[in-house]
Amino acid sequence: MEGEAKKKRELHLTFAEMAERSISKRFRSKLWSPFVSAIKTYRMIDAGDKIAVCISGGKDSMLLAKMMQMLHRYTEKPFELKFLVMDPGYNPQNREKIEANAERLEIPITIFETDIFEQTDKVEHSPCYVCARMRRGHLYSQARKLGCNKIALGHHFSDVIETTVMSMFYASQLQGMLPMLRSQNYPGMTLIRPLYKIHEDDIIAWSRANNLNFIQCACRFTEKNFENEDGSGSSKRQEVKEIIRKLKRDNPNIEKSIFNSLHAVCIETFPGFKANGKPHSFLERFDEENSELS
């Protein structure tokens, strides 16, 4: 009888309510718990915050929007939300898909237009880098117009790991991705990454479980290259994804080890490092120690 009553209750749930239930029940340990943990651990939200949740239309930002909506509903700490969608020049099909998914998930989005794709289409070198910077600038600007003091982006655990490895392999530096940082160009604005502890594979599993189909990058430069549900294509990031996948076969905990190492950096063992944009050498400390002994 109890099972039949449960089925009857589920029949009256909307699609959005079913998606929320999957987050809080089936995927609680993989999605909801690490989401709440990241927000608490890194103190991302304060009472009175007005947060612009930035939605690109992909799986990560849509899940972020849904969980921020749930948190807003259940938390005892009052804050406001704006669900912000920037259209950088999507084709009609992708624009419609974003709007349809938002409607199905009952996320009240605010859309604003830009011509970023048109501008970056003319860029010969590093168009993705230029596009990312322009997107960030437009989002900060629009969030400020809406009176927000924080913007939330959908970068997840896997992004953190891949960015760290990419910086070492291709940029000759050790650089991480912070869960929260203040904007240098927009005083009073803070960026937060609430999916910081959530694995991309678990986001994909949630999407599949709810039969959700999201857009990929969708820009003119890369949309033809995107073949996989994880948004990977012909890029350095994809190369790193493949490297990590291969390493995980022998060491399933390698991502966790990389993530934990970012929280336990031993500066004293590095021959060089940067602080506030200024390079430093271990020789500075070595000379200081030597002068103290003299």
Side-chain angles (χ1 to χ4, degrees):
M1 292 294 290
E2 185 178 342
E4 292 181 7
K6 181 179 178 182
K7 288 180 180 179
K8 287 182 180 180
R9 287 195 301 271
E10 290 180 348
L11 287 174
H12 292 88
L13 294 177
T14 66
F15 179 87
E17 289 171 336
M18 291 294 290
E20 289 181 12
R21 174 168 289 193
S22 70
I23 292 170
S24 62
K25 300 290 185 180
R26 178 178 174 182
F27 292 95
R28 187 176 190 85
S29 64
K30 299 293 187 179
L31 298 179
W32 185 252
S33 293
F35 168 73
V36 173
S37 175
I39 289 173
K40 289 183 176 180
T41 299
Y42 304 116
R43 299 181 298 189
M44 294 184 184
I45 298 177
D46 296 310
D49 279 344
K50 189 170 184 179
I51 305 169
V53 181
C54 301
I55 302 172
S56 67
K59 65 187 188 311
D60 310 325
S61 61
M62 279 292 190
L63 174 62
L64 169 65
K66 176 64 5 190
M67 291 204 293
M68 289 293 287
Q69 189 182 53
M70 293 170 64
L71 183 68
H72 178 260
R73 188 183 307 144
Y74 301 135
T75 187
E76 296 179 356
K77 185 181 292 185
F79 63 90
E80 296 181 53
L81 291 176
K82 288 289 184 180
F83 298 98
L84 197 57
V85 176
M86 178 184 66
D87 185 343
Y90 291 132
N91 62 43
Q93 292 79 13
N94 283 324
R95 173 68 176 258
E96 291 171 6
K97 184 177 289 187
I98 293 172
E99 294 174 336
N101 281 330
E103 184 176 357
R104 292 183 75 194
L105 290 169
E106 298 178 13
I107 299 170
I109 58 176
T110 297
I111 304 178
F112 70 100
E113 319 281 342
T114 71
D115 61 350
I116 290 177
F117 284 173
E118 184 177 341
Q119 293 186 48
T120 54
D121 198 36
K122 304 171 186 177
V123 176
E124 294 184 9
H125 303 290
S126 304
C128 294
Y129 172 78
V130 175
C131 180
R133 285 187 63 86
M134 291 181 69
R135 282 174 181 246
R136 188 73 58 84
H138 278 286
L139 288 170
Y140 272 121
S141 180
Q142 191 66 23
R144 173 178 281 181
K145 288 180 182 178
L146 294 173
C148 298
N149 67 309
K150 289 180 180 177
I151 68 170
L153 298 183
H155 296 125
H156 46 65
F157 178 96
S158 304
D159 287 324
V160 176
I161 303 306
E162 291 158 13
T163 296
T164 301
V165 175
M166 285 174 65
S167 69
M168 184 168 56
F169 283 11
Y170 304 115
S172 301
Q173 61 181 346
L174 286 171
Q175 182 173 314
M177 177 185 284
L178 289 172
M180 180 171 67
L181 66 156
R182 293 187 178 91
S183 171
Q184 295 181 342
N185 297 322
Y186 293 83
M189 190 73 73
T190 300
L191 180 153
I192 61 174
R193 296 182 168 113
L195 304 188
Y196 201 78
K197 293 186 176 184
I198 294 177
H199 292 249
E200 184 175 32
D201 287 345
D202 295 320
I203 299 175
I204 294 172
W206 173 79
S207 301
R208 288 174 176 170
N210 288 280
N211 295 313
L212 284 162
N213 182 25
F214 300 111
I215 71 168
Q216 305 295 342
C217 174
C219 77
R220 298 172 187 176
F221 179 73
T222 61
E223 62 181 354
K224 63 179 178 294
N225 294 326
F226 281 77
E227 302 173 352
N228 304 319
E229 195 171 6
D230 62 1
S232 60
S234 178
S235 66
K236 294 300 182 185
R237 185 169 291 275
Q238 173 59 10
E239 289 181 22
V240 169
K241 282 180 181 289
E242 291 301 323
I243 290 171
I244 292 174
R245 285 193 185 107
K246 291 177 181 177
L247 292 173
K248 282 176 67 176
R249 294 170 191 166
D250 295 324
N251 180 5
N253 293 318
I254 191 165
E255 289 176 303
K256 184 177 180 180
S257 293
I258 296 173
F259 185 83
N260 288 343
S261 71
L262 292 174
H263 294 72
V265 176
C266 299
I267 292 295
E268 292 83 359
T269 66
F270 279 76
F273 64 94
K274 278 186 178 181
N276 298 319
K278 182 180 178 181
H280 295 272
S281 168
F282 82 100
L283 290 171
E284 298 172 17
R285 185 173 60 254
F286 187 86
D287 290 339
E288 287 179 4
E289 292 172 351
N290 188 51
S291 62
E292 291 175 359
L293 293 173
S294 299

